[in-house]
Amino acid sequence: MKPKGTINYSVASLQFNLDDKIFKDLRVRQEFSHAIDRDALVRIAYFCLATPTASPVAPGLKTFHDPSPTPYPFDLAAANRLLDEAGYPRGANGTRFSITLDWLC
């Protein structure tokens, strides 16, 4: 996401460790895509100062930016269905599995 009105063309992304058993299943990775509310991220985390993009290259870098990828729509029902299909039912405490989120800058 690129802050509007600046020359900062950084892009925040979520990447999966495909060596991890959980993330080897495409349905789990698709679930994450359905479960991320990009509009809420722009409003809350970026104070409405960002532009969502499905490309790894920021929209401001027009020579290299490809606008054709389309993100999965925010759809929690689809996300839950995918996890059920992948064999990760919701536990009694509401948890399906645990993962570690590593922050890299």
Side-chain angles (χ1 to χ4, degrees):
M1 294 183 200
K2 176 188 90 65
K4 296 176 184 175
T6 69
I7 58 170
N8 181 346
Y9 292 122
S10 65
V11 174
S13 65
L14 180 63
Q15 299 177 13
F16 302 100
N17 178 355
L18 299 181
D19 291 331
D20 186 304
K21 177 188 114 181
I22 293 171
F23 295 123
K24 284 185 180 192
D25 192 321
L26 174 62
R27 294 169 295 191
V28 173
R29 300 190 308 271
Q30 289 171 326
E31 175 276 330
F32 271 84
S33 294
H34 279 298
I36 296 172
D37 185 343
R38 290 170 177 80
D39 292 332
L41 275 174
V42 168
R43 278 191 329 275
I44 299 164
Y46 291 95
F47 306 102
C48 295
L49 298 173
T51 302
T53 181
S55 170
V57 178
L61 299 171
K62 295 184 186 321
T63 302
F64 306 102
H65 175 72
D66 179 1
S68 63
T70 55
Y72 288 88
F74 176 60
D75 185 343
L76 293 179
N80 282 306
R81 186 179 63 254
L82 285 162
L83 287 180
D84 289 337
E85 290 172 7
Y88 295 103
R90 189 179 305 275
N93 65 355
T95 302
R96 293 177 182 268
F97 53 78
S98 309
I99 60 169
T100 299
L101 179 62
D102 291 326
W103 176 262
L104 302 174
C105 327

